[in-house]
Amino acid sequence: MARFSRSDFTLESFRRQLANVDALPQLCVLGLISGVITGALMVAFRLLLELGATLYMPNNDPEAFEGLAPWLRALLPLVAVAMVGVFLYRQKKSARKLGVGHVIERLSYHQGRFPLRNWLNQWWVGVVSVLGGLSAGREGPAIHLGAAASSGLGLKLRLPNNSLRVLVACGTAAGISASFNTPLAGVIFAMEVVMMEYTLMSFMPVILASTMGALVAQLVYGNEPAFRIPEVALGSLINLPWIVVTGLMIGLLAGLFIHVSQSKWLTSRPLWLRLCLVGIATSGVAFWLPEVQGIGYDSAAAALNNQLGFQLLLALVIAKLLLTALTVAGGVPIGIIGPVLVVGAAAGALNGQLGGWLWPQHAADPGIYAMLGMAAMMGAVLQAPLAALMALLELTHSPSLMLPGMLTVVVACLTARQLTHCEGFFVSSVRYGRHPLQQPLMQALSRVSVPAVMERGLARCEREVTVAQARRLLEGNPVWLLIERSSEEKPFIGLKAADLARWLLKYDERQSEKEAEEDASAPDTASETRIDLLEIPGERLEMAPIALQATLSEAFIALQDRTLDALYVIHGYRPKQQRISGIITRGAIERYYHYADPRDLDVQRNKPPV
């Protein structure tokens, strides 16, 4: 039976275990904590929306813009845009990045570390955008708040960077789960949209986080579904061709949305002009069509229950889609998932009514098409078909819709990707021709931290040592000798301890021969002979520092960028208290992943035979 010591339950031991690829129990513990934190934050965000709604919204409902006087609901977007322009854009550019796109960027290029200022900005910008009547959702803020808080927990505990990636995914899943009461869709969204990978080590912690996020939200808001819809069935299979047409139309709408929101013509305009355009356009439309304001879940629910007329559905599709895209292009950092679902529901219901006019005897209820349109729009805009299908299943509680849902979502995703050339709203930045999270090698190396493969057997020494000092260095059986240079600006040099041992053996042989030839009574000065470690035969490696929390992907990129073969691992958080914990070489990383650089293989192929 295994015995456990007190040291096995320390924070330092917890960090060491997380550095490995098989730290599943430890990651699951982090997933549970992350889910609770994110669920609580999502509840707090919704309470802030409700508290703000008590000031001027009918029945304290953040979605009840229809009950406001036309002049007031037209004034709100102007006030919201002015607040965003004055208070957000007076800050530096990096502090203005918010939402899901910011989460993916920090995960891709900053190892899942989030600035505190952006997190604080997300609170008030999210509340102002929704209560100010802009076409904005609350899911983007929820994901940012949850992912950043979960990552902050890891940074506070000084956990290795590979665990920060999982914590970001946990916060993302819990944010979606708590927002929609859809724990399974939260898991798939985190893996498909944010992490862009499916691995067992990530799945289990993310599942636990999503579960806890939903439970916390249910404790406050109950177990009610996000939308109340009647039980419906597709009926005749004659609807399938029209479902394909629906998917095609929604795919085109998704492409239009992405192209407008990322339009270079719009984004290149001066900021003040873009913000004025967003405020004036939203204000003008809201005066006549208040359904476009806010998240729009009330309009989506009405479309799902077939309570909206043809003209209102058509106006909602066009106005909501263009206003949301214009708001994004205008520089207002809003959540897009809620508005996208509303546009999809309205477009699906619109197509359902058209089908009812064409085939009144066999056409399915427009509410079914609204459900399918909601999933298709989400899948096409995000290029996340599985997450969209899971959302459809959990939002409607109708497993019978999965068959037509799969058909609609796939057609919409293919249409947006192939006909409108849109790869997904959040996949925009690339490196080496692909998004960093889509590079299989980088994904594999980012799951493991440096301590898992670094060589801990090392000894530090000066460039010149005596023979006696060299023998003492080798008494600890180090693998590497870390040679200090004459100045701090010069990098450390790594020398294999075996090379020094080999030199000492030859030196001893020479000394034995010399002593045999000379008088044995001569004084022994061999131990005082000085050795220049940079001159003895052996392979020496120039090295650069890397943090103990770094992942193998960070180490690999550092080696590639600096054209080095080894790094020394720094442990400690204060400059004067830092110590070197180990050495990681290019060979150690390649052995971990069985990876060989194709350029090295080409050199070997072209090398002439000896």
Side-chain angles (χ1 to χ4, degrees):
M1 182 177 180
R3 294 183 178 180
F4 297 95
S5 64
R6 184 176 297 179
S7 62
D8 293 327
F9 299 97
T10 62
L11 182 57
E12 189 62 35
S13 174
F14 190 68
R15 294 189 188 111
R16 286 198 303 269
Q17 293 164 343
L18 282 171
N20 296 294
V21 72
D22 57 349
L24 187 56
Q26 292 78 16
L27 291 174
C28 287
V29 171
L30 292 177
L32 285 171
I33 300 173
S34 172
V36 173
I37 292 174
T38 303
L41 289 175
M42 188 60 205
V43 169
F45 185 74
R46 292 178 66 174
L47 290 175
L48 276 178
L49 291 176
E50 294 170 5
L51 181 63
T54 60
L55 299 177
Y56 56 87
M57 299 294 284
N59 302 320
N60 303 329
D61 182 4
E63 290 287 300
F65 290 96
E66 295 85 351
L68 294 176
W71 68 268
L72 178 56
R73 63 178 182 243
L75 177 64
L76 288 175
L78 299 175
V79 175
V81 168
M83 291 181 65
V84 170
V86 171
F87 295 108
L88 184 63
Y89 282 91
R90 291 174 64 91
Q91 303 180 38
K92 59 183 181 180
K93 186 176 181 180
S94 60
R96 308 172 200 163
K97 298 179 179 180
L98 310 173
V100 182
H102 178 61
V103 171
I104 296 176
E105 179 191 354
R106 301 304 297 188
L107 187 64
S108 304
Y109 300 112
H110 303 276
Q111 294 77 49
R113 298 165 180 261
F114 290 82
L116 177 61
R117 178 179 292 185
N118 298 62
W119 189 76
L120 295 175
N121 283 336
Q122 181 65 89
W123 283 96
W124 71 265
V125 170
V127 172
V128 167
S129 298
V130 175
L131 292 180
L134 299 177
S135 182
R138 66 177 182 229
E139 297 75 25
I143 292 170
H144 182 184
L145 295 175
S150 300
S151 173
L153 171 67
L155 290 175
K156 190 70 175 178
L157 298 177
R158 297 173 180 172
L159 302 181
N161 289 351
N162 64 323
S163 59
L164 295 186
R165 297 179 69 256
V166 179
L167 281 169
V168 170
C170 290
T172 298
I176 290 289
S177 176
S179 180
F180 285 117
N181 194 19
T182 54
L184 185 56
V187 172
I188 303 302
F189 181 91
M191 307 302 290
E192 191 173 25
V193 177
V194 176
M195 293 194 76
M196 300 183 191
E197 65 172 349
Y198 296 97
T199 61
L200 178 64
M201 293 301 159
S202 300
F203 252 125
M204 289 191 181
V206 172
I207 289 173
L208 288 173
S210 186
T211 302
M212 296 308 298
L215 287 176
V216 171
Q218 289 177 15
L219 289 175
V220 180
Y221 294 102
N223 194 22
E224 294 295 325
F227 302 105
R228 291 181 175 273
I229 57 174
E231 292 187 7
V232 290
L234 182 63
S236 175
L237 294 179
I238 296 178
N239 289 277
L240 289 180
W242 195 243
I243 285 175
V244 172
V245 174
T246 301
L248 179 64
M249 183 192 75
I250 290 180
L252 295 175
L253 289 175
L256 174 64
F257 172 79
I258 294 175
H259 281 298
V260 173
S261 62
Q262 298 178 353
S263 168
K264 292 183 179 180
W265 185 86
L266 286 172
T267 55
S268 62
R269 301 299 100 183
L271 178 62
W272 66 268
L273 180 60
R274 285 184 284 147
L275 292 177
C276 289
L277 184 61
V278 170
I280 294 172
T282 306
S283 176
V285 175
F287 187 89
W288 306 103
L289 189 66
E291 286 82 3
V292 301
Q293 292 187 282
I295 307 173
Y297 284 162
D298 53 348
S299 300
L304 292 170
N305 288 276
N306 198 20
Q307 296 173 350
L308 300 180
F310 183 86
Q311 293 181 344
L312 182 56
L313 287 172
L314 181 61
L316 186 59
V317 169
I318 297 174
K320 187 77 171 174
L321 184 146
L322 293 179
L323 280 180
T324 307
L326 177 62
T327 305
V328 173
V332 183
I334 61 169
I336 67 160
I337 299 176
V340 159
L341 290 174
V342 175
V343 171
L350 185 67
N351 226 39
Q353 290 189 9
L354 288 173
W357 294 340
L358 294 175
W359 300 285
Q361 297 179 349
H362 301 285
D365 187 274
I368 292 180
Y369 284 90
M371 300 175 203
L372 300 179
M374 191 164 54
M377 191 70 179
M378 175 181 174
V381 169
L382 304 180
Q383 284 298 304
L386 194 53
L389 288 171
M390 291 302 101
L392 173 66
L393 178 63
E394 292 186 295
L395 288 174
T396 64
H397 298 282
S398 302
S400 61
L401 290 181
M402 291 304 291
L403 175 62
M406 288 189 288
L407 183 61
T408 315
V409 169
V410 168
V411 171
C413 289
L414 284 175
T415 301
R417 193 176 188 89
Q418 300 300 323
L419 297 186
T420 67
H421 306 290
C422 296
E423 295 186 0
F425 184 81
F426 296 116
V427 181
S428 55
S429 56
V430 297
R431 179 172 184 162
Y432 305 134
R434 301 185 71 183
H435 192 282
L437 297 178
Q438 294 176 320
Q439 299 176 38
L441 174 62
M442 291 297 105
Q443 284 185 349
L445 295 181
S446 63
R447 299 182 196 123
V448 184
S449 280
V450 163
V453 299
M454 74 179 183
E455 177 57 60
R456 301 175 185 272
L458 59 89
R460 293 179 62 171
C461 60
E462 297 179 354
R463 172 176 176 173
E464 292 187 356
V465 296
T466 64
V467 171
Q469 290 172 334
R471 297 188 195 280
R472 285 195 293 270
L473 283 173
L474 297 178
E475 287 177 358
N477 295 323
V479 178
W480 286 94
L481 297 178
L482 206 60
I483 304 173
E484 299 176 354
R485 307 294 294 278
S486 57
S487 65
E488 295 182 358
E489 290 76 16
K490 295 182 178 180
F492 283 97
I493 297 293
L495 174 69
K496 278 288 186 71
D499 292 330
L500 177 59
R502 190 178 302 110
W503 186 91
L504 286 175
L505 286 175
K506 293 182 179 180
Y507 175 81
D508 290 341
E509 292 176 1
R510 292 194 301 269
Q511 286 299 113
S512 298
E513 295 173 358
K514 184 177 180 180
E515 290 175 0
E517 296 175 358
E518 296 178 355
D519 185 2
S521 62
D524 182 15
T525 59
S527 61
E528 300 301 324
T529 302
R530 301 193 67 81
I531 310 170
D532 188 344
L533 297 180
L534 296 186
E535 297 297 333
I536 66 172
E539 182 182 4
R540 276 166 284 271
L541 304 178
E542 286 194 3
M543 293 186 289
I546 193 168
L548 185 69
Q549 293 78 22
T551 62
L552 292 189
S553 63
E554 295 174 69
F556 183 80
I557 291 173
L559 292 171
Q560 293 288 83
D561 292 346
R562 303 184 186 187
T563 62
L564 298 173
D565 289 308
L567 303 166
Y568 59 92
V569 183
I570 294 178
H571 185 199
Y573 306 96
R574 297 178 181 177
K576 294 184 179 180
Q577 297 179 354
Q578 288 182 345
R579 65 180 187 271
I580 298 176
S581 300
I583 291 176
I584 183 166
T585 63
R586 183 187 298 270
I589 298 175
E590 292 175 352
R591 284 192 297 273
Y592 169 78
Y593 190 66
H594 303 291
Y595 172 82
D597 194 328
R599 291 172 295 183
D600 296 339
L601 295 178
D602 292 338
V603 171
Q604 293 177 6
R605 292 192 193 101
N606 298 329
K607 185 183 294 185
V610 179

